[in-house]
Amino acid sequence: MLRTTDLTEALTLAERLLSVASWYDPDGCYLDAWAHDDDQLRRLTEAAPEAAVDWYGEAGDDGRASVSRPATTLSQAREALRSWTVVTRCYILWHNMTWPAVPELGLDEEYKYAELQVASNSHTIHCEEWAPEHTVFIHARPGHDERAAWLAAQVDAEVVGPPEFGW
């Protein structure tokens, strides 16, 4: 994971990491946020009328909903994340991609566990708690921490935290 207080810097770092990927499908990118009340839900869906809403609890009685929308271009991802970050914590995830082989580390190309994520105002992948920083997560196969460090080094960055168990 890599952290910054500047959302533009986090998104630029993600864009640079995408350029290191062997391959990624722009259609494999989406923005996700939790709406904790009706006002947040209204603001998120006004910013993205095409967003899908999934309620949690009995008919949404706990007030929580997961709101998701696609972002198929880097400019669309930037715009979407900026518009939702002013409403609540959220993240953007590129999940249909391949990290390159790293022969010097004995690592083959990685598709199954390759993902890239920018979490706005959070230090966790699910954005449970607010933080002043934005976090860029390099998802890799469990136990392949050296791949994340290698990828970060390719864009003149470094991993700043321990591995986090993902999905």
Side-chain angles (χ1 to χ4, degrees):
M1 83 180 83
L2 313 139
R3 291 192 181 125
T4 178
T5 56
D6 184 330
L7 187 59
T8 299
E9 184 179 356
L11 289 163
T12 298
L13 183 56
E15 186 173 354
R16 291 172 51 211
L17 284 161
L18 286 170
S19 73
V20 175
S22 299
W23 171 85
Y24 79 96
D25 177 5
D27 291 334
C29 178
Y30 67 90
L31 185 69
D32 196 61
W34 284 103
H36 297 280
D37 58 41
D38 289 341
D39 180 58
Q40 284 182 347
L41 179 60
R42 178 189 54 76
R43 292 171 63 201
L44 291 169
T45 55
E46 282 177 356
E50 74 282 11
V53 177
D54 291 315
W55 288 99
Y56 287 81
E58 282 293 317
D61 62 359
D62 73 350
R64 286 178 41 131
S66 172
V67 185
S68 182
R69 64 156 289 186
T72 58
T73 67
L74 289 169
S75 63
Q76 191 178 58
R78 285 177 181 274
E79 178 187 323
L81 192 62
R82 282 191 184 107
S83 69
W84 279 15
T85 295
V86 298
V87 178
T88 188
R89 296 177 306 275
C90 56
Y91 65 84
I92 193 144
L93 179 74
W94 289 268
H95 66 93
N96 195 6
M97 60 188 303
T98 303
W99 290 132
V102 187
E104 62 269 27
L105 296 176
L107 300 171
D108 294 330
E109 263 192 342
E110 179 63 57
Y111 174 78
K112 182 176 181 180
Y113 294 94
E115 293 182 333
L116 180 65
Q117 178 179 1
V118 176
S120 74
N121 295 111
S122 184
H123 293 164
T124 66
I125 60 173
H126 299 292
C127 297
E128 294 99 351
E129 296 179 17
W130 188 88
E133 296 91 15
H134 311 291
T135 308
V136 179
F137 291 95
I138 298 170
H139 296 265
R141 183 177 293 272
H144 286 194
D145 300 345
E146 63 275 9
R147 182 186 302 278
W150 183 88
L151 287 163
Q154 302 313 296
V155 296
D156 298 320
E158 63 182 56
V159 175
V160 296
E164 181 175 331
F165 183 71
W167 40 71

